[in-house]
Amino acid sequence: AVAVVMAAIGGLVLLALPGQDVPAPPIFFTWWALASAFALTETFVIRFHVRRESHTVSLSEIPFILGLAMSSPFHLVVGRIVGSLVVLVFHRRQAIHKIVFNVGIFVLDTALALAAYRVLLAGRSQVSAAGLGAGYAALIVALLVGVVAVGVGIKLTQADVPFKTLANALSSAIAIGIVASALGIAGLALAWQD
């Protein structure tokens, strides 16, 4: 039920996204290119454990920022879901309830990141100082949505996990995500060649 609510909210945010007049990127990433990049970054992950559950942090911020700046919302959302879904099903072999939960997170955090990015970018160049800042802020929005959702998911399924244990694990995920977001921004600056 939580996954359906997250996906529904994400879908509504995506439907409400305003159009944006920004410079055309030198490269346009299609959904399948982004799906490949997400699959690659979701395959090579950093793992951490909270009691009986294993959680992972990927470097998916790199294709995420490239998709925000150099693709359309449709291509970013589809690429994120397809690429990550392939890994969750075939590489990690997650249980169906975890797959559904993760897809719900992906829809919600991608939609909210897109909304934040568009508002903060405000028509400026994606690689201007303001554009790179908007990208970084959007990645942090996605990171925080994911961390909160995972934290709620853990507490719903493992109510006996002490808050301190959960907070320590999630703070590590946030720290790694902040560094990965900075790498993503650097990747965008390098990939964007006028």
Side-chain angles (χ1 to χ4, degrees):
V2 173
V4 172
V5 170
M6 288 188 297
I9 292 169
L12 291 172
V13 170
L14 289 169
L15 290 173
L17 279 179
Q20 184 104 16
D21 185 29
V22 294
I27 302 168
F28 182 85
F29 288 99
T30 61
W31 71 265
W32 55 267
L34 289 169
S36 299
F38 278 112
L40 182 65
T41 59
E42 290 288 346
T43 299
F44 301 101
V45 296
I46 299 161
R47 298 184 194 286
F48 64 96
H49 299 274
V50 177
R51 293 218 176 159
R52 300 177 303 251
E53 293 288 323
S54 174
H55 302 280
T56 59
V57 176
S58 72
L59 297 178
S60 63
E61 290 82 2
I62 296 168
F64 202 131
I65 188 62
L66 294 175
L68 282 170
M70 302 171 81
S71 191
S72 70
F74 169 81
H75 286 275
L76 175 57
V77 172
V78 172
R80 175 110 194 267
I81 292 170
V82 169
S84 299
L85 196 57
V86 166
V87 173
L88 295 176
V89 172
F90 298 108
H91 179 69
R92 293 190 201 158
R93 302 184 195 285
Q94 282 190 344
I96 190 70
H97 71 279
K98 279 189 160 189
I99 292 169
V100 170
F101 185 75
N102 284 323
V103 169
I105 293 172
F106 296 151
V107 172
L108 181 60
D109 71 6
T110 304
L112 292 175
L114 274 161
Y117 185 65
R118 293 233 171 146
V119 166
L120 295 171
L121 188 61
R124 295 178 286 232
S125 169
Q126 297 93 315
V127 291
S128 66
L132 294 174
Y136 194 72
L139 290 173
I140 299 303
V141 165
L143 171 67
L144 292 176
V145 169
V147 165
V148 168
V150 167
V152 168
I154 291 171
K155 283 308 270 182
L156 288 174
T157 59
Q158 300 178 53
D160 62 330
V161 174
F163 181 76
K164 184 175 180 177
T165 302
L166 181 60
N168 287 340
L170 295 178
S171 64
S172 296
I174 290 170
I176 293 166
I178 288 170
V179 171
S181 295
L183 290 173
I185 293 298
L188 171 61
L190 290 173
W192 192 291
Q193 301 295 320
D194 285 328

